[in-house]
Amino acid sequence: MYQGIGDAVLFLLDVSNLSWIAFGTVLGLVAGTLPGVSGVAMMALILPFTFGMAPEISVLMLIGVYAASTYSSSTGGILYNIPGGAAGIPTTVEGYKIAMRGEGGKVLSTDIYASFIGSVIGFIGALILTPIFIQIASNLGTAERGLFALLALVLVGTGALSRADPARGLLAVGIGLVVGTVGMQSTTGYVRFVGDFPQLWDGFHLVWIIVGLYAIPQIFRLASIEKYFNKTRNMNLDYSVWHEFKQFLIYFREKKYLFLRVGVLGTVVGALPGLGTVAASWLGYQEAYRSSNKKEEFGNGSLDGVAGSETANNAAVPTTLVPLLALGIPGSAAAALILGAFLLAGVHPGPQMMDVNPTQIWIILLGLFVTGAFFVIFGLPFHKVVIYVTKVRPTYLIPAIVAFSAIGTYLATGFVEGIYIALVIGLASMLVERLYLPIANVLLGAILGPTIEHELLTAYNIGGIGRFFSPGAGSLLSIIVLIIIAGFYKNFVPSLVELFKGTSIDDLMRSNRPTPLHDILLGASALVAGGIVAWIASGYPAAPAAVPYAVAVYLVLPMATLILLKGIIGAARVGLYRSPSEEELAASQHVQFNSVTIVVISAVCVAMLSVEVVGFIPAIVGLIFIVGITLRSRIMNLVIYAAFLSGALYFFLSFFRIQMPAGLFLP
Amino acid sequence: MRLLTGVLCLSLGASIAVGTAGESKADEKPENYLTRQFTFVVPYGPGGLTDARGRAFQPVLEEILGVPVVVQNISGAGALVGINYTFSRPSDGTHIVTASGSDGPHAHSVLSDSNLAWEWEDWTPVGEYARSVLGFVALRGGDWDSLEEMIEHVRENPGEVTLASIGPGRADDLYMLEFMQASDTLGKWNWVTYSGSGAIQTDLLSGDIDVGYLGVSRADMLDHPNFVVLAQGIKESEVPDDWEFPWPTVEAVVGQELGLIGASYAAIFVKADTDPDRVEFLKWAFEEAATHPEFIRIRNEFGEPALWNDGETARERLTEMHELLKEYKPLLQEHGQQ
């Protein structure tokens, strides 16, 4: 079990290996701080460039991004009230108000040290839990592995452990599962949905899906929130690091049990699929509130609230990897991206890793501590420059993100159609996200779908239907059924009751929940899409038809019908839609369609679609000017930026020997 | 004066001799037609076995060819997309593609269901540069001590033993059918397919499968704590003298020579209508690269030792396999996975 630890330590002492982790940490700090560029989006952007790296390095670099962005998502919230990600919301609520009282140094210091304590507790948790999980997982066969992956999807989809809408959650999972069935079926080799297009016989490449779901919508979201950048105020961040550290030590001595409790809470929550850092953040915040003797401070700038949520969400980061390393099952979008890094490096995480390459497991586990230490080392000086980071405007970010998205998607498979497919996925995800469909569930469905299909069909081929009623598999099946029932009882029924009671549409909008119009649009379009999939799949032989047909008929269509019915009931009770009363809140969540975003979306589409015709770099230069002029930047600044970015891209492509399309006009 | 004349004559003679010798050495190297860049198409994504093979060539080829070498990953459909892409390029010898015995143009031209723009005859193998051997692997300390014993059990108890192989859609499917036919166990195994050797190992450990056909030519398989190799898929006639793996061959177990089951060789392919002089240059350049100490070092470090079989040997082997695949294809349609 402990074989390989020595080699792992030596690996982590290597300066070049440490440099990659440090690089990931810095990227994570920047991504978490910039509004509109979340840690997951940054992970999606850099994932394709991990090709060719040792898996330990690429995974630790992504973990560096993940850990640092989880911490720094609250930094943006403290500074200008816009969190870099959902895990930073509780800290934003409290931290921004503390900073406004002139105690920016105090809250930023508490934020970073609490995050570090959380990451250390989570690291210890991961060290203890991973070998135990691996021991259990080594005894699981195909049926149990398939059902375990299904359990993860059901936990995520039903929101049984959180407060998500199970109909939407399961619909999103269903869409992901259908996406995962495109291409060659793994047990028969039968090609589904894309018979005449060999480029898609392997299905949608993971990188296309990830860039499409996470990087491209961020581009449009950036255009939506341009005006909020103007609200960034010049806070006084001139504080003494040593003084604040001593103050924190006094605070820590007083609240050490709170730190321990929420740290352990976050550690456990992180290990459960479907929860992750966001749930940990809120649970830590609630625990801090429950145990606080200054409850009146909550909502008005409570340091306990900051400490509770930050310790918990950072404790959840290391243990997010436990089900991934032990079972190969990602429990969150970030874990799915880390799985992507493993798969791109040709490594399939799972219990066999401890036998095949124990050093790899220990490098990752011990590396978790390094990532935690790095974000403190870099985070403290980062506070001094963070104001400058937030001055980087969307005008400059958008073309750069488009460029790296295009390179990444092209690099993944080597054909330009990948760029087009990622763009289509991005546009579609932007639209369905507006209808409150949880995008992370689509990603998890798409990644876990092929695994579930392969494992369950193989289990059936090996032992027939009886294989699913062995003690292990039977227990998992029962738990899955119970969770589905619990999820609907807890989260769907109350929302229907609320509609029948006649809640106001303003209340729905204020609490950032879907209106009946959202329900009707989503339900109707999913019904049509599900019907088409079922119709096509019904023409396939039994084995390749089984999963797409079953998902369409028994998951997508019922969930779409439920959502549609809820929309119709809602329309009858509370009306369809009214202008949002809290536009600003919604802006941080969704793309706002106005003339500016429509021009930016069109320009991005034209740039990505014209890469093959005009060439990659000219397309990006054209995009810089269109986006810049639309967002009212100075022409001279755009000229300088165009020269800089095209030069940087040329150097990058030449250095890494990446051949992007040169266009039809060059020989 | 005589001395001077003698020295001059000797010098002239020596110069001519050296010049002639130099000329004859230069004659061995075909003319390099490359002026811009050379593209090495890897028909799988970055990372993984095939990509590592391509990237091992890159620095050495650049030195030999004198032009930048770009390794281009064009993945999809078990190497078919990359092969299609290479075929779509001009026949000027600036693009080559690498593939293995399971997924090269010789295999896809038989196994693919789509209408291909090319046939096996449209390709010329430049040479073979790597070999990997698969074998039948069971759990150490399990129910089976030998493949013979297992085959006997399968004959008497059809459907009781679960066999896993890598697939579907690769030549490996046909390897298994050939083995089953030769061992008189066709249709008697509970046969399932997995994405790779690692996945098969996992389910050998979990007990869901009894035996797997997976990669064995690695040092760690010699004395693996969990697995035992029952037989290796290399032809008796091809076992090198210094072969370090002692397991019986599949041919020895079934008691007959097999056409398909054997070591899988990674090969380089170029379009057949490329100028013959250019093909000769490529053959020379790749042989130089595959026998270059730096390439050998990289391959040894990777754990898949370098070798070189010339284009004719490769063509012979692959054409023979192509014909056999055609012969066995009806068997796949009849007994393949449903």
Side-chain angles (χ1 to χ4, degrees):
Chain A
M1 186 66 79
Y2 298 102
Q3 186 194 349
I5 289 186
D7 290 340
V9 172
L10 287 177
F11 183 93
L12 288 169
L13 290 176
D14 185 286
V15 175
S16 68
N17 296 337
L18 285 175
S19 310
W20 283 111
I21 305 174
F23 179 60
T25 308
V26 172
L27 287 180
L29 285 173
V30 173
T33 310
L34 282 172
V37 186
S38 67
V40 175
M42 180 59 87
M43 290 166 80
L45 269 178
I46 64 168
L47 178 67
F49 301 101
T50 63
F51 289 136
M53 282 184 179
E56 306 85 355
I57 292 297
S58 56
V59 166
L60 282 176
M61 191 170 76
L62 286 186
I63 291 170
V65 176
Y66 181 35
S69 64
T70 302
Y71 148 67
S72 67
S73 66
S74 52
T75 309
I78 290 168
L79 292 175
Y80 40 76
N81 210 20
I82 301 179
I89 293 174
T91 302
T92 301
V93 171
E94 304 298 341
Y96 181 66
K97 286 178 179 149
I98 299 174
M100 290 300 287
R101 293 200 299 251
E103 295 176 302
K106 182 180 178 182
V107 67
L108 285 171
S109 300
T110 305
D111 176 14
I112 198 164
Y113 298 129
S115 299
F116 178 67
I117 291 167
S119 76
V120 171
I121 296 172
F123 161 70
I124 295 166
L127 279 186
I128 296 168
L129 291 175
T130 307
I132 297 171
F133 267 56
I134 286 178
Q135 200 60 44
I136 296 167
S138 316
N139 298 313
L140 301 180
T142 49
E144 290 83 6
R145 281 198 308 274
L147 289 170
F148 230 108
L150 192 60
L151 174 64
L153 279 188
V154 168
L155 279 171
V156 171
T158 56
L161 299 176
S162 59
R163 291 174 180 170
D165 172 1
R168 277 185 157 69
L170 288 175
L171 176 63
V173 163
I175 292 171
L177 287 171
V178 170
V179 168
T181 63
V182 171
M184 208 178 270
Q185 203 256 345
S186 69
T187 59
T188 60
Y190 190 90
V191 178
R192 297 174 292 201
F193 303 112
V194 287
D196 296 330
F197 197 50
Q199 279 88 337
L200 287 177
W201 281 9
D202 288 344
F204 290 116
H205 196 281
L206 187 62
V207 171
W208 302 344
I209 299 175
I210 287 171
V211 169
L213 289 180
Y214 285 97
I216 289 174
Q218 294 284 18
I219 296 166
F220 306 136
R221 199 166 292 130
L222 274 169
S224 306
I225 62 172
E226 163 69 3
K227 59 185 172 182
Y228 299 109
F229 278 72
N230 299 328
K231 292 190 174 178
T232 308
R233 57 194 75 235
N234 291 318
M235 283 186 175
N236 178 19
L237 294 176
D238 192 18
Y239 67 91
S240 158
V241 172
W242 177 239
H243 171 74
E244 292 299 347
F245 178 64
K246 284 192 293 186
Q247 291 297 309
F248 177 78
L249 283 182
I250 295 166
Y251 176 71
F252 177 70
R253 268 188 225 116
E254 190 190 329
K255 299 279 180 182
K256 53 184 176 291
Y257 293 113
L258 170 66
F259 280 99
L260 188 64
R261 274 199 310 276
V262 294
V264 172
L265 185 69
T267 302
V268 173
V269 167
L272 296 173
L275 290 177
T277 55
V278 179
S281 190
W282 282 107
L283 288 170
Y285 182 71
Q286 280 170 2
E287 175 56 25
Y289 176 78
R290 191 195 63 76
S291 61
S292 176
N293 48 10
K294 293 179 189 166
K295 288 192 170 60
E296 69 284 357
E297 284 186 0
F298 278 76
N300 300 308
S302 163
L303 207 58
D304 290 355
V306 172
S309 75
E310 287 305 302
T311 308
N313 70 27
N314 283 281
V317 169
T319 46
T320 304
L321 292 182
V322 173
L324 180 62
L325 289 174
L327 291 156
I329 294 171
S332 66
L337 283 150
I338 293 166
L339 172 64
F342 273 119
L343 297 179
L344 292 179
V347 176
H348 292 261
Q352 79 286 351
M353 272 180 82
M354 200 49 117
D355 284 322
V356 176
N357 199 342
T359 307
Q360 217 162 41
I361 293 256
W362 287 113
I363 287 172
I364 290 163
L365 288 177
L366 298 177
L368 291 169
F369 179 77
V370 180
T371 58
F374 272 9
F375 74 66
V376 176
I377 294 167
F378 296 125
L380 285 170
F382 186 69
H383 288 163
K384 304 291 178 192
V385 296
V386 71
I387 286 291
Y388 301 103
V389 172
T390 61
K391 287 189 188 302
V392 180
R393 289 289 178 269
T395 308
Y396 307 116
L397 285 173
I398 290 170
I401 295 177
V402 170
F404 284 98
S405 298
I407 295 172
T409 45
Y410 185 77
L411 198 61
T413 53
F415 41 87
V416 77
E417 288 85 350
I419 299 177
Y420 308 152
I421 291 168
L423 179 65
V424 171
I425 293 174
L427 291 170
S429 79
M430 185 182 66
L431 291 175
V432 293
E433 211 178 7
R434 288 270 309 170
L435 301 176
Y436 293 83
L437 194 80
I439 291 301
N441 293 12
V442 178
L443 176 64
L444 287 174
I447 288 183
L448 288 177
T451 304
I452 293 171
E453 179 180 30
H454 178 83
E455 299 284 13
L456 297 185
L457 282 178
T458 305
Y460 179 77
N461 285 339
I462 289 171
I465 199 75
R467 180 69 186 81
F468 298 99
F469 294 99
S470 65
S475 311
L476 283 167
L477 262 181
S478 314
I479 293 169
I480 288 168
V481 173
L482 285 175
I483 286 172
I484 293 174
I485 294 168
F488 274 89
Y489 178 74
K490 192 175 147 210
N491 295 329
F492 190 75
V493 175
S495 67
L496 269 185
V497 171
E498 194 182 21
L499 283 178
F500 274 110
K501 281 183 182 166
T503 185
S504 83
I505 199 160
D506 275 352
D507 282 344
L508 287 178
M509 307 242 6
R510 259 188 225 110
S511 55
N512 199 22
R513 281 181 293 166
T515 66
L517 182 64
H518 291 125
D519 287 338
I520 290 170
L521 284 174
L522 181 64
S525 45
L527 269 179
V528 173
I532 293 172
V533 170
W535 175 65
I536 296 174
S538 64
Y540 296 155
V547 169
Y549 186 81
V551 169
V553 172
Y554 300 114
L555 185 60
V556 173
L557 294 182
M559 292 306 121
T561 308
L562 271 182
I563 293 168
L564 183 63
L565 285 176
K566 184 166 159 253
I568 293 168
I569 293 166
R573 300 290 302 176
V574 301
L576 270 178
Y577 193 76
R578 248 179 47 193
S579 297
S581 51
E582 293 193 12
E583 189 191 337
E584 189 170 336
L585 174 66
S588 66
Q589 305 294 323
H590 298 300
V591 176
Q592 297 296 298
F593 289 104
N594 52 38
S595 57
V596 170
T597 45
I598 288 169
V599 171
V600 171
I601 289 170
S602 309
V604 169
C605 293
V606 169
M608 292 181 88
L609 292 173
S610 63
V611 158
E612 208 173 11
V613 178
V614 300
F616 171 64
I617 291 181
I620 297 299
V621 169
L623 181 66
I624 291 172
F625 283 99
I626 297 173
V627 171
I629 290 165
T630 309
L631 298 179
R632 297 180 183 174
S633 295
R634 289 183 188 159
I635 293 291
M636 188 47 72
N637 289 351
L638 295 179
V639 171
I640 294 168
Y641 184 61
F644 165 74
L645 187 61
S646 52
L649 287 173
Y650 182 78
F651 174 76
F652 181 83
L653 296 175
S654 307
F655 186 79
F656 289 105
R657 300 270 174 85
I658 299 169
Q659 263 192 318
M660 292 298 287
L664 301 178
F665 308 111
L666 281 177
Chain B
M1 187 67 190
R2 264 189 202 166
L3 182 66
L4 186 63
T5 311
V7 170
L8 279 172
C9 285
L10 271 176
S11 307
L12 187 64
S15 306
I16 291 167
V18 169
T20 314
E23 209 170 274
S24 74
K25 181 142 178 95
D27 278 349
E28 288 171 14
K29 178 188 169 183
E31 190 190 348
N32 186 350
Y33 58 90
L34 293 163
T35 52
R36 287 183 61 199
Q37 76 169 33
F38 183 72
T39 304
F40 191 116
V41 176
V42 170
Y44 287 94
L49 189 65
T50 313
D51 185 52
R53 288 171 176 167
R55 288 183 194 279
F57 268 117
Q58 188 183 37
V60 181
L61 270 182
E62 282 196 344
E63 191 185 318
I64 294 165
L65 301 178
V67 293
V69 173
V70 174
V71 175
Q72 197 169 356
N73 299 89
I74 301 181
S75 66
L80 183 59
V81 177
I83 297 170
N84 280 343
Y85 169 81
T86 311
F87 193 77
S88 73
R89 300 289 93 192
S91 307
D92 58 2
T94 58
H95 287 70
I96 57 91
V97 63
T98 184
S100 77
S102 295
D103 54 18
H106 67 290
H108 275 299
S109 54
V110 179
L111 298 173
S112 179
D113 290 327
S114 62
N115 293 321
L116 301 176
W118 45 266
E119 292 173 2
W120 167 230
E121 291 71 24
D122 294 318
W123 295 91
T124 296
V126 173
E128 295 169 331
Y129 63 92
R131 169 178 50 211
S132 63
V133 174
L134 280 73
F136 288 94
V137 176
L139 204 59
R140 186 174 288 281
D143 295 337
W144 317 103
D145 292 326
S146 69
L147 189 58
E148 289 96 327
E149 209 178 293
M150 189 179 268
I151 290 169
E152 197 56 42
H153 185 87
V154 170
R155 283 190 196 125
E156 288 166 13
N157 306 280
E160 270 195 12
V161 176
T162 302
L163 162 69
S165 66
I166 301 170
R170 292 160 51 99
D172 304 51
D173 296 350
L174 292 172
Y175 299 171
M176 287 300 95
L177 289 170
E178 184 194 32
F179 159 72
M180 291 173 194
Q181 196 173 51
S183 59
D184 191 25
T185 54
L186 200 56
K188 293 178 181 173
W189 297 82
N190 192 17
W191 178 29
V192 290
T193 50
Y194 282 73
S195 59
S197 296
I200 296 177
Q201 285 181 340
T202 301
D203 269 350
L204 281 168
L205 285 173
S206 78
D208 261 341
I209 53 178
D210 300 293
V211 61
Y213 191 69
L214 52 102
V216 295
S217 52
R218 302 189 329 242
D220 66 323
M221 292 304 282
L222 280 170
D223 195 22
H224 200 285
N226 298 325
F227 307 117
V228 58
V229 180
L230 303 178
Q232 55 180 327
I234 182 168
K235 292 182 199 304
E236 283 285 337
S237 57
E238 287 181 3
V239 178
D241 293 337
D242 57 350
W243 193 236
E244 57 182 310
F245 304 106
W247 314 299
T249 64
V250 179
E251 283 185 346
V253 171
V254 298
Q256 60 176 277
E257 202 177 314
L258 298 172
L260 287 171
I261 283 196
S264 178
Y265 290 87
I268 307 283
F269 300 92
V270 65
K271 287 171 73 176
D273 57 350
T274 306
D275 184 310
D277 289 342
R278 294 188 171 199
V279 175
E280 281 311 306
F281 174 74
L282 287 175
K283 286 180 176 176
W284 170 84
F286 272 97
E287 183 171 358
E288 289 285 303
T291 52
H292 193 288
E294 177 62 8
F295 181 79
I296 291 169
R297 185 190 65 76
I298 296 172
R299 299 303 297 151
N300 283 341
E301 270 181 16
F302 192 79
E304 192 183 68
L307 60 84
W308 182 251
N309 294 325
D310 64 29
E312 282 318 303
T313 310
R315 181 193 291 282
E316 222 170 87
R317 191 196 320 275
L318 293 167
T319 304
E320 192 183 333
M321 183 171 282
H322 172 78
E323 294 304 323
L324 279 164
L325 288 172
K326 281 203 282 195
E327 195 182 303
Y328 278 86
K329 194 176 177 186
L331 208 57
L332 183 64
Q333 284 153 348
E334 193 183 341
H335 294 279
Q337 307 259 306
Q338 295 301 307

